[in-house]
Amino acid sequence: MGLVTKLGVIALVALAVNASTCVDTGKLIDLSGGSGGQTGSNRYVKHGVAEVTMSRTVYNNGKFYWMSNMFDGSNSCDASTCSGRDRPNTERTHNCYMLMNGNANEPSTITVTFDRPTAIGTLQVDPNARRDSKMTTMSVIADGRDVTPSGIGGLMQKAYNDMGWPSKCSAPDGWCQAGAGCSTVPYIDVPINRKVKSVVITISGTGHPVMSQLKFFTPGSAGGENKVRDAVDQLLA
């Protein structure tokens, strides 16, 4: 195929998918209600859907911080949406997020391995949970391909700023739960727009490694940008 012909085909592909971009995020892939991922564990399984493993174990403090907190749809702006499995009337906020053992200044990974190749449109990430554990960098690798949004450091800082933190933190360790004053969780959108088997999220920052929510959505009618790129790659190969 000549260069002019290739460019013509690329233009047609772009026009064909243009109407499908930025329309919706598709349907949520339900990873809630799985097993495992409790205190001292680093493995959570939603049978028939995916296995989630971490490079470190869940922090040891009663029934707080379980891996299931990342997939239960809870809203860090409203602790009443979070699990009530441990001390719901006094410290329910600790059921809103996952907290790992170890120091966040060294990278930690969360790996989601789907039972079969699965079409993913967007991954929504809420990395904010407590002021003493701030994630400042993140990368997302989908089947070996880096899909980390450009300017991720700035996106994480903006999400952190937009959470609406309490003006004062509890003594003696100074932790503050996210969500005092926010009405909508400021998620970070990670476009994937392809069928994948494994997604690896690497985080680092200060305090302990932490993650509030990970939400995987099917492509829906989004993803045209990636379809154009893939078509171009195939044409020019």
Side-chain angles (χ1 to χ4, degrees), residues 4 9-10 15 48-49 81 85 94 105 117 133 141 144 150 166 168-169 179 189 221 227 235:
V4 174
V9 172
I10 291 169
L15 287 172
V49 183
T81 66
R85 77 172 68 89
H94 295 308
N105 62 9
S133 294
I141 307 297
S150 176
K168 296 182 180 180
C169 297
D189 289 338
S221 55
K227 293 174 185 176
L235 284 169

Side-chain angles (χ1 to χ4, degrees), residues 94-204:
H94 295 308
N95 297 312
C96 294
Y97 59 93
M98 180 280 303
L99 190 76
M100 294 186 198
N101 282 302
N103 198 310
N105 62 9
E106 296 182 358
S108 301
T109 60
I110 303 169
T111 301
V112 180
T113 304
F114 293 95
D115 287 8
R116 60 190 62 83
T118 301
I120 306 296
T122 302
L123 165 63
Q124 288 189 337
V125 182
D126 174 16
N128 295 301
R130 43 192 295 164
R131 197 167 234 171
D132 65 350
S133 294
K134 177 185 177 183
M135 300 302 97
T136 56
T137 61
M138 178 178 72
S139 67
V140 182
I141 307 297
D143 279 356
R145 183 181 301 206
D146 191 343
V147 295
T148 309
S150 176
I152 186 62
L155 293 174
M156 295 186 76
Q157 182 62 53
K158 185 178 186 306
Y160 179 84
N161 294 341
D162 289 349
M163 280 302 295
W165 298 92
S167 59
K168 296 182 180 180
C169 297
S170 302
D173 59 359
W175 74 267
C176 288
Q177 169 68 24
C182 64
S183 58
T184 303
V185 175
Y187 285 101
I188 297 171
D189 289 338
V190 181
I192 296 178
N193 294 318
R194 55 181 51 86
K195 188 174 287 189
V196 299
K197 187 75 164 58
S198 175
V199 177
V200 182
I201 300 125
T202 302
I203 52 175
S204 62

Side-chain angles (χ1 to χ4, degrees), residues 60-76:
N60 186 3
N61 184 1
K63 296 179 181 179
F64 289 148
Y65 316 132
W66 288 6
M67 292 175 68
S68 58
N69 295 346
M70 295 187 288
F71 308 109
D72 62 3
S74 56
N75 183 341
S76 296

Side-chain angles (χ1 to χ4, degrees), residues 32-100:
S32 66
S35 59
Q38 301 173 4
T39 302
S41 172
N42 68 342
R43 180 175 179 267
Y44 171 88
V45 177
K46 176 62 182 285
H47 292 289
V49 183
E51 175 187 62
V52 184
T53 57
M54 305 193 305
S55 58
R56 304 187 189 196
T57 56
V58 173
Y59 191 86
N60 186 3
N61 184 1
K63 296 179 181 179
F64 289 148
Y65 316 132
W66 288 6
M67 292 175 68
S68 58
N69 295 346
M70 295 187 288
F71 308 109
D72 62 3
S74 56
N75 183 341
S76 296
C77 295
D78 181 2
S80 69
T81 66
C82 306
S83 170
R85 77 172 68 89
D86 196 342
R87 287 162 273 183
N89 298 321
T90 56
E91 299 181 65
R92 192 184 191 111
T93 53
H94 295 308
N95 297 312
C96 294
Y97 59 93
M98 180 280 303
L99 190 76
M100 294 186 198

